[in-house]
Amino acid sequence: MLKLKNNKKHHVHRKSEVSVTKSWCAMIPWLLGAAYINRQFLINVRNILLFFLDAIQTPFLFLIFIMSNPKSESVVSEPSDSEPSIPISYPIKTLSELESRSYFESFHYPFNKASSSVNNSSSSLPNRRRLLVCHDMAGGYLDDKWVQGGTNPDAYAIWHWHLIDVFVYFSHSLVTLPPPSWTNTAHRHGVKVLGTFITEWDEGKAVCDTMLSTKETAHMYAERLAELAADLGFDGWLINMEVNLDPGQISNLKEFVAHLSLTMHSSVPGSLVIWYDSVTVDGKLNWQDQLNEHNKPFFDICDGIFVNYTWKEDYPRLSAAVASDRKFDVYMGIDIFGRNTYGGGQWNVNVALDVIKKNDVSAAIFAPGWVYETKQPPDFQTAQNSWWGLVEKSWGVLQKLPGVLPFYTNFDQGRGYHISVDGDNVSDATWCNISCQGFQPLLESVDPTNSIQVSVDLKEASYSGGGNITFKGSLEEQTYYESKIFQGEFLLNDLPIHFIYSVKSDGNSSLGLKLEYTSTSNKRASVLLTSRAVNRFSSKFSKIVMTREHKGLSSGWVINEGVVAMNGYTLTEIHAVCYGSNDNDETLASPSDYFALLGHITIKTSDYKSYFPVSSSWLVDGSCIKWTSDPLGSKTLDVKISWKLKNGQNFLFLKYNVYLVKLSKQDVGITLEDVKEYLGVAQVNCFYVSDLEVPSDTSSLKFIIQVCGVDGTIQELDESPYYQLEVEDP
């Protein structure tokens, strides 16, 4: 977003790009020898090198990134035609592609739609200061490009959604379309998602010459962008015009921005168009670092401005004054790589946030993936939690969970080392898929002085997906330890509320849930859900509710179910409570080791029941079928599987688990549970199977689509829709 200017501005590309450029330029005198060199000649050589580097830097940096992250999968360029292949996300790189709507003809298009079951972001932004996060990492479309998931358990992810209001997916392509995985998990947490439209360099100037040639062309391209956002399910655009324009083009630029805002608002409720502080109203590419008369005309016709990062201490105050009653629509930029940004970014991000907070405007964090890209010690999980802990301490927690029932989470981070379904491990393959993130818990930063350490440990067992909350340490005597994991606003009515949660623990370790309530008269109450009597500390809670345990799972998980009636109260917080199973035995006085896993939480009203249409009500079809045989009789299969309800209804389902059963003529009386093979998960009504190995004795393949409800329940396999494909004869 930033360009070099008078040696005061820094380039938007990664820090490594700037250092590479400087290194090449520093070598010029050495390359040309010690003879006298005309300064203009040096400038000409430098410009040639800069042009050359700009042409090669993206693939060069991708190579560096992939080499330094060996588990990260290789970069895949966007498809050039509609031939079937593993579904990926990719940007639109040319104006002709945007105008022609060719994206909608791609094989990959239907896979890139966001799930309609998780959109909690359709309301307007809250009337308070907000936090925008702009994700820019090595050109984008890395592990997150694999729509159906990748194989890197160490893939980058964000899980501190409780701090974020707007998420922008950024790259240097003309039209950056957010991968649906980011849209799905952001929407689940009530966060809006924007794509990026950017013009830069000579190519960007040519784009603007075409796009802004007439009022009609400006409107047409705005409508193309609005159509993409509405159809793919994200919430709008960051507009970044990084080129000098002719003054005569400004009127049509305003038409473009205004028409895009109007069209977005009419087609996507709660949508946003945000202007980046770049070109001014006189057509000059001149970053203002504040909201002022040079960029306010653009601010006035859209939903906000992302202010450049090199602002001074009093610029947030000055910008707030110019914005007046729209001061929360001013997002002061902070470059986490620290390139001339106020406070220096990196581990000093709180310095800028404190100033922004003091002046009561909004903040825009650019490239928080710095933690991941620069391999901050000791490891990504720990460094990520520590860095976002700085943000939280400075900015505060302003977001709350969407107070809608049913509520369900399995604490999945969207990456891991195994996958479970209802306590059964169905895959030991490493994986990543941000779409699979559950509601993320609000865990405090690790404090080694705490008796119990609380974390999401991806290598420990999972009840559902690949996550959990792990509690590990020791407990003194008859004490208990509690840790807040959620805050929200669930207004309760006269129906009893069912709380269901799964626990796996060792020996003397027990785990309950503490529920914090507030009444309309600000009366506070706390309820403890527990499977054991806790006489030693029962007085610490307003009410004790004994849960019913469901045991018998071979994996050792125990399901706890409790019913609470708190009519007129609002559920505001959920805490995990760790205690010993023998806390009523007064003979126990010494500390004991503690270990427990929390696998999931479901909250729903007593009358809620998931509805799963019967198998026969679905139309399941296979297409793009391709068989490949080897000389030994084995085959591989590619096939796209699609499904929809025959009556055309659209029920909201959380996701679909996809299984395979390979059948031979000898298979008689087998059970699906015994022979099913987990293939993956779909967020939309289609799934692509690629390079599936089919043994020579297989006569047919049965693809089972297991429907998953928003409350975490799943359809029985033998009642699920399926597609059966006969194996081709050799």
Side-chain angles (χ1 to χ4, degrees):
M1 292 174 180
L2 306 179
K3 298 205 189 308
L4 294 170
K5 185 183 181 222
N6 297 330
N7 296 322
K8 293 181 180 178
K9 301 288 183 180
H10 279 249
H11 206 286
V12 69
H13 295 306
R14 297 271 58 86
K15 196 173 185 181
S16 56
E17 298 178 35
V18 177
S19 62
V20 168
T21 302
K22 289 180 177 178
S23 298
W24 274 92
C25 294
M27 291 173 64
I28 294 173
W30 179 82
L31 290 170
L32 298 180
Y36 173 76
I37 301 171
N38 178 275
R39 184 175 182 274
Q40 186 58 50
F41 176 74
L42 277 177
I43 292 173
N44 291 339
V45 173
R46 174 184 178 275
N47 288 339
I48 292 171
L49 283 173
L50 286 173
F51 176 82
F52 172 72
L53 284 168
D54 186 58
I56 69 168
Q57 62 192 355
T58 296
F60 175 69
L61 283 162
F62 277 176
L63 179 61
I64 291 175
F65 183 81
I66 297 302
M67 290 175 66
S68 63
N69 294 272
K71 289 185 179 178
S72 183
E73 301 185 52
S74 60
V75 176
V76 173
S77 60
E78 69 274 12
S80 57
D81 52 40
S82 59
E83 286 299 310
S85 60
I86 299 174
I88 62 169
S89 297
Y90 60 95
I92 294 173
K93 293 192 172 184
T94 67
L95 206 57
S96 60
E97 290 176 69
L98 178 62
E99 179 179 358
S100 69
R101 303 175 72 250
S102 61
Y103 181 86
F104 297 108
E105 303 302 319
S106 167
F107 173 80
H108 303 261
Y109 154 62
F111 297 93
N112 275 277
K113 289 190 170 190
S115 171
S116 58
S117 68
V118 294
N119 194 348
N120 293 313
S121 70
S122 58
S123 59
S124 299
L125 285 172
N127 188 35
R128 56 160 172 78
R129 56 185 168 84
R130 310 164 194 137
L131 189 67
L132 178 151
V133 168
C134 190
H135 173 60
D136 173 35
M137 180 180 287
Y141 303 101
L142 299 167
D143 291 298
D144 55 5
K145 72 179 169 292
W146 304 107
V147 177
Q148 295 179 171
T151 61
N152 181 12
D154 301 317
Y156 180 74
I158 289 175
W159 52 87
H160 295 81
W161 295 104
H162 60 283
L163 302 173
I164 304 171
D165 297 288
V166 181
F167 175 85
V168 180
Y169 196 83
F170 181 89
S171 82
H172 287 278
S173 294
L174 179 67
V175 180
T176 300
L177 302 171
S181 57
W182 287 107
T183 307
N184 288 335
T185 190
H187 280 179
R188 187 171 290 117
H189 291 87
V191 176
K192 296 185 185 298
V193 177
L194 309 184
T196 303
F197 180 80
I198 186 172
T199 60
E200 52 187 349
W201 310 111
D202 292 340
E203 184 180 353
K205 181 65 169 69
V207 165
C208 290
D209 289 343
T210 300
M211 183 177 78
L212 305 177
S213 58
T214 66
K215 175 181 175 180
E216 288 71 26
T217 57
H219 283 196
M220 182 267 289
Y221 287 114
E223 289 166 8
R224 292 290 189 271
L225 292 177
E227 179 186 30
L228 283 163
D231 208 83
L232 295 178
F234 58 94
D235 305 294
W237 296 95
L238 172 68
I239 304 301
N240 187 9
M241 311 299 287
E242 294 271 5
V243 293
N244 285 297
L245 297 176
D246 298 330
Q249 294 177 305
I250 296 301
S251 61
N252 284 338
L253 177 58
K254 290 181 181 178
E255 287 286 346
F256 170 73
V257 176
H259 193 65
L260 177 59
S261 299
L262 181 67
T263 310
M264 282 301 314
H265 295 163
S266 63
S267 57
V268 179
S271 58
L272 300 173
V273 174
I274 294 181
W275 175 261
Y276 185 76
D277 167 27
S278 50
V279 70
T280 59
V281 286
D282 58 5
K284 294 179 180 178
L285 182 55
N286 188 6
W287 301 268
Q288 299 300 297
D289 300 327
Q290 60 182 304
L291 178 65
N292 60 22
E293 69 275 14
H294 298 295
N295 52 31
K296 188 172 184 290
F298 300 112
F299 173 77
D300 290 339
I301 55 177
C302 67
D303 301 295
I305 184 170
F306 185 146
V307 174
N308 192 35
Y309 324 114
T310 54
W311 46 269
K312 308 301 181 185
E313 186 169 355
D314 61 339
Y315 286 10
R317 176 183 60 82
L318 295 173
S319 297
V322 173
S324 187
D325 60 351
R326 287 190 61 201
K327 64 180 180 179
F328 300 136
D329 295 334
V330 176
Y331 300 83
M332 303 300 297
I334 309 170
D335 179 13
I336 304 309
F337 275 77
R339 292 158 292 199
N340 273 14
T341 200
Y342 183 86
Q346 301 184 12
W347 290 104
N348 295 311
V349 61
N350 53 300
V351 175
L353 287 173
D354 289 345
V355 173
I356 296 170
K357 179 180 177 180
K358 175 184 175 183
N359 291 281
D360 204 25
V361 292
S362 296
I365 289 177
F366 184 78
W370 168 83
V371 175
Y372 185 88
E373 287 190 72
T374 58
K375 300 184 181 299
Q376 292 297 299
D379 57 75
F380 172 55
Q381 184 95 1
T382 304
Q384 174 91 323
N385 287 330
S386 297
W387 187 86
W388 282 99
L390 282 176
V391 175
E392 180 173 329
K393 186 175 181 181
S394 170
W395 195 250
V397 180
L398 305 179
Q399 272 268 42
K400 296 185 184 298
L401 284 175
V404 178
L405 297 180
F407 170 83
Y408 166 76
T409 182
N410 58 5
F411 316 112
D412 200 317
Q413 277 191 0
R415 59 205 187 107
Y417 298 86
H418 51 256
I419 293 176
S420 295
V421 175
D422 276 5
D424 292 327
N425 191 64
V426 297
S427 173
D428 284 320
T430 60
W431 65 282
C432 59
N433 187 341
I434 301 170
S435 278
C436 295
Q437 276 196 3
F439 281 106
Q440 294 300 295
L442 279 66
L443 303 185
E444 295 180 356
S445 298
V446 173
D447 183 349
T449 65
N450 289 340
S451 60
I452 301 292
Q453 298 299 307
V454 185
S455 66
V456 172
D457 191 334
L458 303 180
K459 292 188 177 179
E460 289 289 353
S462 303
Y463 178 77
S464 173
N468 58 57
I469 303 183
T470 301
F471 304 84
K472 187 184 300 185
S474 64
L475 284 175
E476 293 280 347
E477 301 180 353
Q478 280 78 41
T479 62
Y480 69 94
Y481 178 88
E482 68 176 79
S483 175
K484 182 168 74 171
I485 55 177
F486 287 114
Q487 71 177 34
E489 290 182 346
F490 295 91
L491 180 61
L492 308 181
N493 55 28
D494 56 351
L495 287 174
I497 303 298
H498 285 238
F499 293 83
I500 305 163
Y501 59 99
S502 53
V503 175
K504 186 174 184 178
S505 61
D506 289 349
N508 187 37
S509 306
S510 290
L511 185 68
L513 294 181
K514 173 188 172 184
L515 313 173
E516 290 277 3
Y517 293 92
T518 303
S519 70
T520 52
S521 59
N522 289 325
K523 179 182 177 183
R524 299 180 64 85
S526 62
V527 176
L528 177 65
L529 298 174
T530 174
S531 60
R532 301 278 187 276
V534 287
N535 301 332
R536 301 287 294 183
F537 50 86
S538 60
S539 61
K540 303 289 186 181
F541 306 93
S542 307
K543 184 190 295 186
I544 305 293
V545 173
M546 300 299 295
T547 61
R548 186 160 49 102
E549 290 188 325
H550 303 271
K551 299 182 179 180
L553 292 174
S554 58
S555 54
W557 287 97
V558 176
I559 310 301
N560 293 266
E561 183 173 359
V563 181
V564 180
M566 295 289 286
N567 185 19
Y569 279 78
T570 297
L571 175 62
T572 57
E573 293 183 7
I574 302 174
H575 296 233
V577 178
C578 305
Y579 59 95
S581 300
N582 297 318
D583 272 349
N584 294 308
D585 186 347
E586 297 187 12
T587 63
L588 292 174
S590 60
S592 59
D593 291 338
Y594 184 93
F595 179 83
L597 302 173
L598 181 61
H600 86 287
I601 296 176
T602 298
I603 309 172
K604 56 186 177 181
T605 56
S606 57
D607 64 340
Y608 182 86
K609 191 177 188 317
S610 287
Y611 170 69
F612 297 118
V614 296
S615 176
S616 59
S617 62
W618 292 88
L619 179 64
V620 188
D621 186 37
S623 60
C624 305
I625 299 172
K626 178 183 177 183
W627 292 98
T628 305
S629 300
D630 67 19
L632 300 178
S634 294
K635 301 180 179 67
T636 59
L637 171 68
D638 299 342
V639 59
K640 176 186 175 183
I641 304 168
S642 306
W643 53 92
K644 62 181 179 180
L645 287 166
K646 294 177 180 177
N647 60 13
Q649 286 184 283
N650 287 313
F651 289 98
L652 295 183
F653 299 116
L654 181 64
K655 60 183 180 180
Y656 305 90
N657 293 326
V658 182
Y659 294 94
L660 168 67
V661 176
K662 297 173 181 175
L663 299 170
S664 68
K665 294 178 180 178
Q666 290 74 36
D667 291 328
V668 179
I670 63 167
T671 64
L672 297 180
E673 289 291 343
D674 293 335
V675 297
K676 72 179 187 300
E677 176 185 340
Y678 179 80
L679 293 183
V681 62
Q683 311 291 330
V684 291
N685 290 35
C686 53
F687 188 84
Y688 187 67
V689 180
S690 175
D691 295 323
L692 176 68
E693 295 184 2
V694 181
S696 57
D697 62 346
T698 304
S699 59
S700 66
L701 302 169
K702 186 174 185 178
F703 297 93
I704 303 172
I705 315 301
Q706 185 179 50
V707 185
C708 304
V710 294
D711 64 342
T713 55
I714 58 175
Q715 189 168 24
E716 295 293 334
L717 281 181
D718 57 4
E719 299 173 1
S720 298
Y722 64 91
Y723 170 68
Q724 192 151 338
L725 177 64
E726 299 301 314
V727 176
E728 278 190 346
D729 291 330

